Amino acid sequence: MADFDIVNKCIRNMEKEIQLLQTEISNVRAGIGLEECSPELKKLTEENIRLTHRLEILKSAIVKEGGASAATPSSEESILEQLQQVFTDAIQKAFPTLTVPAVITISTSPKFGDYQCNSAMQIVKLLKQQSVNISPINVAQKIIEKLPKTVACIDKVEIAGAGYVNVFLSRTYGEQRIMSILKKGLIIPVIEKKRVIVDFSSPNVAKEMHVGHLRSTIIGDSICRFLEFLGHDVLRINHIGDWGTQFGMLIAHLQDRFPNFQTVSPPISDLQAFYKESKVRFDTDEAFKKRAYECVVKLQSGESLYLKAWNLICDVSRKEFQIIYNRLDVKLTERGESFYQSRMQTIVNDLKKGGFLEEDEGRLIMWGEDRAGIPLTVVKSDGGFTYDTSDMAAIKQRLYEEKADWLIYVTDAGQATHFQTIFSCAKRAHILDENRHRVDHVGFGVVLGEDGKKFKTRSGDTVKLAELLDEGLKRSMDKLVLKERNLILTPEELRAAQESVAYGCIKYADLSHNRNNEYIFSFDKMLEDKGNTAVYLLYALTRIRSIARNCGGDYINNMRKVIESTDFKIQHDKEWKLAKQLLRFPDVILLVMKNLSLHHLCEFVYETCTTFSEFYDSCYCIEKNANGEITKVYASRVLLCEATSRILEKCFDILGLKPVNKI
């Protein structure tokens, strides 16, 4: 078996090498044109053919030897992927005239096993089209007959109902996987590492961050944490609004209010009020408006006085933004609209040269590939640039200067059409190559108040993000005091618990909802200590962590020794249920990879905590005598708690939650 494992590993490495070669071939072709040829392209193509031929020989040889199928997956892959692979191979062998990937689902009830293959009915229909009549049960039987004699993760299979194949997992396999988690760490699916740029948060200078920035900031940060966990090279971009006509009125107002701003830093403590003052003057004073436009021209021409004023205003905003980001533990690299100013003229020249721009009532517009929807306005009738221009300049800069493989934009769903057009225009202009680059718009619904309407203050104003976080802290402390935690925790522990609960409940309430939907913001529901809330989850993890501490000795000081010396066994049904839940972690990771929706991870975390609660209620980890002295420690159960803790801690980290030792 070890020899087959080595060969299978060679096969997987060769498949990766072929994939990289094909990517390189695409890159070379993109550089020289499809109709051309080059020695480099010829060499790469020959190498690709050679490796593909060797791969087929290896696969054929290992199958002929009767060992594990060439498609037998590594034990470190997700269970869903393993079952998908072995059942797809079995279907292909049983019905060689069909190409049907296996449909594998998680069973809804233990009596139906742990997983199911539900492909029989589809196969029956396809065979009927070929004038072959066969029952679903017979189809299922033929599939089972073609399964490998042994598959590490499978204990047994059974046929049920209309040809469903129920799969029961092997406890021995489960024990090995749990020990692998404890000894080697969490398993990360084998993927190609990419350079990823995530554009999120994006507030505007001179305006306070409000509830409208909440989802982009929380979702964007969590996506970055997730991709970093997978090993991608992630650049977190804050595309702030730091350029445009509004700076003309701000600079003009600054000159009037603080004429000595060049030598004495102006005490602008409330930039939002400063912005409103300048806006009122802009709307009511024609002389001021004229001067504001003149300031814009001088700023954009690079005059030092106006650049200094602009920098001063940006710095005030930047400090306010950073306070929010520090509270939420969000890290970003600022790359505002101003960064792309010089690149905007370049992109316009490139688009003109390529013949992609059309004149329309004095504007220069650009259509996407199918000329559907609304075109981009690349140059306004007055010669100025737009958000469309800066977005086109940004996508080119990110793909070719930053060498990104994958771009992700996290904004509200209302901007979906805009980004579809941007991506389409970038493809049409040969900036974006779908063979080399991936782009995603990660949209989300709006935050609603408890009245079901857009979340606003009682006076109808937009809810400021700083005030929302302050309210969270207050309510969190009220909840902790109500539970009399202030009588048990030290002041430092109480403050840590307060922040953990306050910020955690806001983040988790957002991430636990499908991002495509709206959700109702309710502190009362967020702070409940039962149900799918951050409070319940934080408490659950704190309790799980305390189990090993309560055992004392090596369980506190040398867990590695306990892991190495324990003959780990799963015996009780609740132990096995918890272990199987933990083994789903790689499956969930793969699901999040497909759609960048973190609510799947939240569901997994909640299910893990509720499953642990069942286990904890049924299985003693420690036995004590009447004096409270430990008489027995069930090492395997404590290690199952440890594995649960490690997986939950990683999930919490991805979701941006900060667990505490006492709560």
Side-chain angles (χ1 to χ4, degrees), residues 519-548:
Y519 82 95
I520 293 175
F521 190 98
S522 168
F523 272 123
D524 289 339
K525 291 182 179 178
M526 290 178 191
L527 289 167
E528 288 179 358
D529 53 12
K530 295 180 181 178
N532 191 10
T533 67
V535 181
Y536 169 73
L537 301 176
L538 288 164
Y539 174 76
L541 180 55
T542 299
R543 182 174 64 167
I544 294 167
R545 283 171 156 181
S546 70
I547 292 170

Side-chain angles (χ1 to χ4, degrees), residues 152-188:
C153 65
I154 298 177
D155 179 41
K156 64 178 180 177
V157 294
E158 294 177 351
I159 299 174
Y164 299 112
V165 180
N166 296 337
V167 179
F168 295 80
L169 294 183
S170 160
R171 286 201 184 193
T172 301
Y173 170 81
E175 291 164 351
Q176 292 169 350
R177 284 287 298 274
I178 295 298
M179 286 305 288
S180 177
I181 291 169
L182 292 168
K183 290 180 178 181
K184 301 177 183 178
L186 299 185
I187 295 162
I188 301 173

Side-chain angles (χ1 to χ4, degrees), residues 100-168:
V100 183
V103 178
I104 306 295
T105 60
I106 297 171
S107 296
T108 55
S109 170
K111 66 181 179 181
F112 300 130
D114 301 305
Y115 293 83
Q116 286 182 327
C117 176
N118 302 333
S119 302
M121 291 299 293
Q122 182 187 4
I123 292 170
V124 167
K125 290 178 182 178
L126 292 173
L127 288 174
K128 197 170 185 179
Q129 294 171 7
Q130 298 178 3
S131 301
V132 177
N133 292 317
I134 186 172
S135 72
I137 290 178
N138 286 339
V139 167
Q141 186 60 49
K142 287 181 178 293
I143 293 172
I144 288 175
E145 288 171 0
K146 296 299 182 181
L147 288 173
K149 290 180 180 178
T150 58
V151 178
C153 65
I154 298 177
D155 179 41
K156 64 178 180 177
V157 294
E158 294 177 351
I159 299 174
Y164 299 112
V165 180
N166 296 337
V167 179
F168 295 80

